Amino acid sequence: PRIAQRLPKALSIDEVTRILEAPDRTEVTGLRDAALLELLYGTGGRISEILDLDVDDVSGVLAEPDAGLRLFGKGRKERLVPVGSYALKAVAAWLVRGRPQFAGASTRPSPALLLNGKGQRLSRQSAYGLLRKAGEAAHLGVEISPHTLRHSFATHLLDGGADVRVVQELLGHAS
């Protein structure tokens, strides 16, 4: 028999709010961190799906918020997810006030939405570190991962009365 896998503990809405408010949005890195966290929780996307986004991928959603965001999951399977206003505001702030400073650091501009200090696509390791830092700043007392935010997203939707099939589709689960 297979050993059952433990699901990550879902955070409360208050805990998620504290994490999302942790980045200092007066700093350039805080704008990027806020955009990353808001997209992770606001879409329920996997870390790789969010880090793979390019500026062109979000420009349509910023212009037409009801259009939704195309995420490419495992096996390049595409799905359309709605994006909340808080995530859109965080992404817009990053694109206007933060990203141009990071993009100027590179001789070869990257099309990536989320950049590191060298102007290149943000790595998974860096994203994990940013999330861990936000968790510490929120004084949660538990270690969080991108999957914790994904699980919290799904749990909060189900607690709010969303249909299981809809949540399954939003997460890109086949079964």
Side-chain angles (χ1 to χ4, degrees):
R2 284 179 31 174
I3 297 172
Q5 291 183 332
R6 259 187 35 240
L7 287 173
K9 179 187 171 287
L11 302 172
S12 70
I13 291 175
D14 177 58
E15 290 171 324
V16 171
T17 302
R18 290 185 357 227
I19 288 172
L20 296 177
E21 292 173 349
D24 181 2
R25 295 173 193 230
T26 61
E27 296 181 10
V28 178
T29 55
L31 291 171
R32 181 208 46 214
D33 299 352
L36 171 66
L37 294 171
E38 289 283 358
L39 282 170
L40 281 170
Y41 179 70
T43 64
R46 295 176 180 91
I47 188 70
S48 57
E49 294 171 334
I50 302 302
L51 294 177
D52 285 346
L53 288 172
D54 290 339
V55 174
D56 291 345
D57 297 331
V58 297
S59 60
V61 180
L62 291 171
E64 184 65 41
D66 294 336
L69 182 63
R70 290 192 189 292
L71 295 179
F72 293 91
K74 295 178 178 179
R76 295 296 294 166
K77 193 159 50 166
E78 181 182 336
R79 70 181 191 281
L80 191 64
V81 295
V83 184
S85 62
Y86 291 103
L88 290 175
K89 286 177 190 170
V91 169
W94 161 246
L95 285 174
V96 172
R97 298 192 336 249
R99 190 180 183 284
Q101 293 181 40
F102 279 31
S106 175
T107 55
R108 283 186 30 200
S110 172
L113 173 65
L114 300 168
L115 302 175
N116 61 22
K118 295 178 181 175
Q120 298 303 310
R121 189 176 298 274
L122 192 65
S123 69
R124 285 176 58 97
Q125 293 82 358
S126 296
Y128 271 86
L130 301 174
L131 191 56
R132 194 173 309 115
K133 188 173 126 184
E136 289 170 5
H139 305 292
L140 296 183
V142 295
E143 214 169 285
I144 60 168
S145 69
H147 201 74
T148 306
L149 285 180
R150 182 173 159 84
H151 188 69
S152 299
F153 164 82
T155 302
H156 296 161
L157 283 176
L158 292 171
D159 289 347
D163 182 61
V164 174
R165 297 283 178 213
V166 171
V167 174
Q168 175 184 344
E169 214 173 290
L170 288 173
L171 294 176
H173 283 237
S175 61

